[in-house]
Amino acid sequence: CNVVSERTLWKTLADKESATLGKLNERKNAVISEKRRIENRIKDIDDYILEYTSRMKQEADTEHNLQRLNGKMNMITQFANARKELEAIQRECQQALDALTNGIVSHQEELLKYSKIREKYKEHIAHKEKSNESKELDALAIQNFISEMR
């Protein structure tokens, strides 16, 4: 009974670690996807800023409408503020990725440990069974030897 319960204990612990690893990997993939989405939005904002800046320079050369230039400057400022907010979210994503990666490594180490213990335990049981079988064969051989001697 103890053999079965100890064997299932290590398997249960390993299965639990595997399930946790699966969830962590799913979460990591979701964060990576979110991070890429944010990076693309930052790139889009950079493109908008570049576009507005180049238009503003062209218009500054051709016309002197301050209200229009001021509107473009305000838009560039809004883009820059949005970019700054996205960069903060991007840093949070990176921190979450780092934490998830550390968690994954930790759980992989636990899974490896449980797997090694389970394997050692299987080897121990196999050795014990082989040893018991050997003892039984020795006892049988002695018994046959004694009966032949009579």
Side-chain angles (χ1 to χ4, degrees):
C1 184
N2 190 23
V3 170
V4 173
S5 64
E6 204 165 326
R7 187 178 299 166
T8 56
L9 168 72
W10 296 119
K11 183 179 179 341
T12 302
L13 289 171
D15 290 348
K16 183 180 173 200
E17 288 301 323
S18 293
T20 301
L21 277 169
K23 289 176 188 172
L24 285 172
N25 279 314
E26 285 176 20
R27 178 75 182 118
K28 182 179 178 180
N29 289 335
V31 172
I32 286 171
S33 179
E34 177 67 9
K35 188 174 179 233
R36 282 188 191 129
R37 192 180 66 76
I38 289 168
E39 288 167 351
N40 288 334
R41 287 181 65 192
I42 289 172
K43 185 188 173 305
D44 290 344
I45 287 174
D46 287 342
D47 292 344
Y48 292 139
I49 290 173
L50 184 64
E51 184 181 325
Y52 270 84
T53 304
S54 63
R55 275 195 215 160
M56 206 171 79
K57 286 178 184 173
Q58 289 171 355
E59 289 177 8
D61 292 341
T62 59
E63 47 181 275
H64 299 290
N65 186 342
L66 287 177
Q67 190 175 5
R68 229 172 167 186
L69 289 174
N70 198 23
K72 287 197 179 7
M73 285 296 293
N74 285 338
M75 201 61 183
I76 291 170
T77 302
Q78 288 176 11
F79 283 135
N81 288 337
R83 187 182 198 288
K84 195 181 285 185
E85 289 175 20
L86 286 172
E87 285 174 333
I89 294 170
Q90 185 182 29
R91 280 190 298 276
E92 289 172 12
C93 281
Q94 187 57 53
Q95 290 169 348
L97 275 176
D98 293 345
L100 285 165
T101 300
N102 289 338
I104 287 170
V105 167
S106 172
H107 285 282
Q108 284 174 333
E109 289 171 348
E110 286 297 303
L111 180 59
L112 183 62
K113 180 175 80 175
Y114 294 145
S115 296
K116 282 183 178 179
I117 290 171
R118 202 165 106 213
E119 200 54 42
K120 288 284 184 198
Y121 187 73
K122 281 182 185 177
E123 289 172 10
H124 172 73
I125 294 300
H127 177 70
K128 214 171 170 183
E129 287 172 355
K130 192 174 182 181
S131 176
N132 286 342
E133 191 178 296
S134 220
K135 286 178 187 174
E136 288 172 12
L137 287 174
D138 287 348
L140 190 59
I142 290 173
Q143 203 173 24
N144 284 340
F145 179 75
I146 290 174
S147 24
E148 285 177 9
M149 295 296 282
R150 290 182 184 165

